[in-house]
Amino acid sequence: MPVDLSAGSIPSIYRNLFELINLHGIDKLTLAVFVPLFESNVLTKTILNQIWNSVIKTNALSSRNDFYKCLALMALAQQGKIVDEKLLDNYVNRELPIPTLDNLTELEDRLIRILRSDQGKTTFCFRYGDLCSLDTIQVEVAPDKKGVIIRHFEYEVTSMHYNNKVSRRYNDFIALHELLSLKYPFRIVPQLPPKKAVNVDKEFIEERRRSLKRYLQILCRHPVLCETEIIKFFLTFQGTSCGDNMKATFKNSLDEFSCEPPTSSSSIDRIERHEEDSTGIRMFHISETHISFLHQQFSQIRTYLKNINERNFKTADEYWAIEKSLQLISTDPTRIERWATGPNDYWPTIQTGLTELPIEMNAVAERINEECKREDEVINDHLDMLIELFQGYKDLCKRFEESLQVEQRAIQKATHQNRRSLTTSDSSTKNDLSSIEKRNNHALKCIQIETQLIYANLEAFVYILSSLGNIQYKVSSDLLDIWKSFSNKISELGQTYINKTSLQKANTSGVKK
């Protein structure tokens, strides 16, 4: 009779590990996943294979009890004992031995990496850190070329993944965008910044540079898009006319759906697929609504932060204006006679004391300005990229819903034709409908992955808030020290006046006596 280890004295590590595995799908724990997940110097491939074949005996794990048996045998193997399920008879109503394993976070990270290639079509096995590690893109405006009469702007694009720098024009980005949009109609391809032919100033150039950087960063941190030869060509091609060469190279490329191998399915499979699709479309609409809500809220937060930052930039300018006024006052050469001041001849003392105060005003302005620049960078490079990712998802949802409408019209057409002729059927109509259904099934799978991509990127919002908080904390601490120094100098200035007044009173009293 099989040993039941699912009840009794079970170490917490057993339950925690099972919940971790079950979170990603207990049926996903196959031998091909089990071995690399727990492999170590002691738990070798051979031993882990023996444990699996001794306990599981099938392709995939199916129960909590079997998983506990595997963990117990792993602990016993680490104690130097031979793998034998009969050893577990000694642990009925006793606490099971605890294997020495990596912590849960490391194990989950490893599990995600192992599952990534195995179930990439339905589950997005990437965390935000994994996405960031795919590539880091830098885009800088290339220096003007001497002797060029017709001026156009070029951008130096650097890819950390390819360890390469290339020069690209805006038209090259347009070519990239067109090719990716055709090949990946059901993936998030963000919008390009708009083209502007006249009144191009430094501000416009800088904003476009940032936009192009975000655009490429989103593409190169997309697990599917970053692997395409189109992206590789754009980031590595060193010849001239990159856009034209890229179009010529990939002009006959099929879209993602057309590249998939043809599948044949029975009527039962089609019924099951239809049920899955119906559930998937329902979940899609729920996710679309939630992500649309997040998009709206994040956009509002961005607007508020931008407004605050603009006011802070203005505040910094005003403190610099105060600094200049203080400098003018402290260096004013006008000689004021007693005729004008009467007994209130404290002004020369004030003027002398003011000479050091512009230093504090300048420091306040500098700190606020530095804060604004850092916050502006966080907003532009991180929050804006997240919002553009949301917008790309919104555009994707629109394309998918249009495809669903095409399918609905095709179904109505086929139904109408069937009513007209009960004995014959239009094979071309059936083929068209089948093709549309398969394409939408592919699109729904893509949508599921793209939705999970959005939620994976939401971790960036924590980084954004953390960065803003750290910036404010650092600046507030610096400003506290500056204003404390300012306050001390004002106090010294007041004390100088008090001492001077006391001295004058003493001198006057002495004369009367």
Side-chain angles (χ1 to χ4, degrees):
M1 182 176 179
V3 180
D4 184 6
L5 301 180
S6 61
S9 182
I10 305 296
S12 60
I13 184 65
Y14 278 53
R15 293 191 174 90
N16 293 338
L17 277 169
F18 180 80
E19 293 305 323
L20 184 152
I21 298 294
N22 196 40
L23 178 66
H24 298 278
I26 193 67
D27 58 314
K28 301 295 189 301
L29 189 63
T30 62
L31 177 61
V33 175
F34 176 77
V35 172
L37 178 61
F38 294 110
E39 187 178 3
S40 66
N41 291 333
V42 177
L43 296 173
T44 63
K45 291 181 180 179
T46 302
I47 291 176
L48 290 171
N49 271 284
Q50 290 174 355
I51 292 173
W52 182 273
N53 293 326
S54 174
V55 175
I56 309 301
K57 303 182 179 69
T58 59
N59 184 51
L61 182 68
S62 59
S63 72
R64 182 190 295 265
N65 189 56
D66 284 348
F67 183 63
Y68 287 173
K69 288 181 183 179
C70 289
L71 291 178
L73 289 177
M74 287 161 61
L76 295 174
Q78 287 175 328
Q79 296 173 13
K81 297 181 180 178
I82 298 174
V83 175
D84 187 347
E85 190 177 0
K86 293 181 181 179
L87 292 174
L88 302 180
D89 294 338
N90 300 323
Y91 288 92
V92 177
N93 297 324
R94 286 178 54 196
E95 183 170 271
L96 296 171
I98 299 176
T100 302
L101 303 171
D102 293 330
N103 63 55
L104 290 178
T105 301
E106 292 176 347
L107 283 173
E108 185 173 23
D109 286 342
R110 191 181 305 162
L111 176 61
I112 288 174
R113 288 194 297 270
I114 295 170
L115 292 177
R116 189 174 295 160
S117 58
D118 182 50
Q119 53 177 342
K121 290 188 176 181
T122 57
T123 304
F124 187 80
C125 294
F126 286 82
R127 287 177 168 171
Y128 180 65
D130 300 322
L131 297 174
C132 292
S133 66
L134 292 176
D135 204 349
T136 297
I137 299 294
Q138 295 296 333
V139 176
E140 301 295 339
V141 179
D144 290 341
K145 295 181 179 179
K146 295 181 179 180
V148 177
I149 300 176
I150 301 176
R151 187 182 182 190
H152 62 263
F153 295 98
E154 293 189 350
Y155 302 90
E156 293 180 344
V157 178
T158 304
S159 164
M160 184 176 292
H161 174 73
Y162 291 106
N163 191 25
N164 193 53
K165 180 189 290 187
V166 293
S167 180
R168 295 288 177 260
R169 295 180 60 182
Y170 182 75
N171 286 341
D172 299 328
F173 284 87
I174 293 177
L176 172 67
H177 184 78
E178 291 175 350
L179 287 169
L180 289 177
S181 298
L182 288 173
K183 185 169 180 61
Y184 299 100
F186 296 110
R187 301 290 182 181
I188 296 176
V189 178
Q191 296 178 353
L192 267 177
K195 192 170 185 176
K196 187 176 182 181
V198 295
N199 298 327
V200 176
D201 53 19
K202 289 184 178 180
E203 184 177 347
F204 171 80
I205 295 169
E206 174 60 17
E207 182 54 39
R208 173 182 278 185
R209 181 196 69 80
R210 286 177 161 182
S211 296
L212 293 176
K213 176 184 175 181
R214 292 193 299 267
Y215 175 82
L216 286 180
Q217 199 80 284
I218 291 173
L219 296 178
C220 293
R221 289 181 178 177
H222 189 297
V224 175
L225 300 184
C226 74
E227 296 292 336
T228 180
E229 289 295 317
I230 300 173
I231 291 284
K232 181 179 179 181
F233 188 99
F234 182 87
L235 295 175
T236 59
F237 178 74
Q238 292 291 349
T240 58
S241 303
C242 172
D244 293 337
N245 280 279
M246 192 161 49
K247 286 182 177 180
T249 303
F250 300 103
K251 63 180 180 180
N252 295 323
S253 295
L254 299 175
D255 67 15
E256 188 178 12
F257 169 71
S258 301
C259 291
E260 287 191 343
T263 57
S264 58
S265 57
S266 64
S267 58
I268 297 177
D269 291 336
R270 286 195 296 272
I271 293 172
E272 291 179 351
R273 189 179 66 191
H274 178 72
E275 291 176 352
E276 290 178 1
D277 287 354
S278 298
T279 301
I281 291 172
R282 180 175 59 84
M283 298 304 297
F284 156 70
H285 285 303
I286 294 173
S287 300
E288 180 188 19
T289 301
H290 183 235
I291 292 173
S292 178
F293 163 77
L294 293 177
H295 184 195
Q296 181 182 16
Q297 298 306 313
F298 282 25
S299 296
Q300 289 182 359
I301 290 172
R302 179 196 181 278
T303 299
Y304 299 145
L305 289 174
K306 280 284 189 181
N307 291 340
I308 292 170
N309 222 32
E310 287 175 3
R311 290 197 296 269
N312 287 341
F313 268 123
K314 185 177 179 181
T315 299
D317 290 338
E318 289 170 344
Y319 274 115
W320 270 315
I322 294 173
E323 176 205 1
K324 291 178 182 178
S325 293
L326 288 174
Q327 286 178 342
L328 291 173
I329 293 171
S330 64
T331 57
D332 177 23
T334 304
R335 180 178 177 84
I336 306 300
E337 300 294 342
R338 190 172 181 80
W339 179 90
T341 64
N344 300 303
D345 59 347
Y346 183 43
W347 178 248
T349 306
I350 295 177
Q351 188 176 24
T352 303
L354 292 178
T355 55
E356 295 185 8
L357 295 184
I359 298 174
E360 270 69 31
M361 290 297 105
N362 180 270
V364 168
E366 287 286 352
R367 294 299 182 278
I368 295 176
N369 191 61
E370 289 171 6
E371 169 206 348
C372 292
K373 288 181 179 179
R374 288 199 293 269
E375 288 189 357
D376 192 53
E377 184 177 340
V378 170
I379 294 169
N380 278 284
D381 289 355
H382 300 282
L383 184 55
D384 279 357
M385 189 165 77
L386 194 55
I387 291 172
E388 288 173 14
L389 194 62
F390 281 132
Q391 183 60 50
Y393 182 80
K394 182 178 179 180
D395 297 338
L396 171 61
C397 291
K398 183 179 178 180
R399 294 196 296 273
F400 180 58
E401 287 172 340
E402 289 172 350
S403 294
L404 293 179
Q405 291 173 4
V406 170
E407 180 181 2
Q408 195 63 35
R409 288 194 293 269
I411 292 173
Q412 292 173 356
K413 180 180 178 181
T415 303
H416 179 67
Q417 289 182 346
N418 286 338
R419 287 174 179 173
R420 290 176 59 186
S421 176
L422 297 176
T423 57
T424 61
S425 60
D426 190 340
S427 60
S428 64
T429 301
K430 287 185 177 181
N431 290 335
D432 290 344
L433 180 57
S434 176
S435 176
I436 293 172
E437 287 177 341
K438 289 179 179 179
R439 186 174 184 83
N440 282 352
N441 177 261
H442 162 81
L444 184 58
K445 291 179 180 179
C446 292
I447 287 285
Q448 183 178 0
I449 294 298
E450 300 306 288
T451 302
Q452 293 176 31
L453 171 67
I454 292 292
Y455 284 102
N457 274 280
L458 287 179
E459 187 179 337
F461 193 53
V462 176
Y463 167 80
I464 291 166
L465 295 178
S466 175
S467 297
L468 293 174
N470 290 335
I471 291 169
Q472 289 289 344
Y473 177 80
K474 179 65 169 62
V475 171
S476 297
S477 299
D478 291 345
L479 288 176
L480 180 63
D481 293 337
I482 295 169
W483 285 120
K484 186 175 181 180
S485 173
F486 179 86
S487 180
N488 289 339
K489 288 182 179 179
I490 296 298
S491 297
E492 291 173 4
L493 189 58
Q495 190 62 46
T496 301
Y497 170 70
I498 293 172
N499 293 339
K500 181 178 180 181
T501 304
S502 299
L503 180 61
Q504 287 175 339
K505 289 180 179 179
N507 291 338
T508 303
S509 175
V511 170
K512 288 181 179 179
K513 288 180 181 179

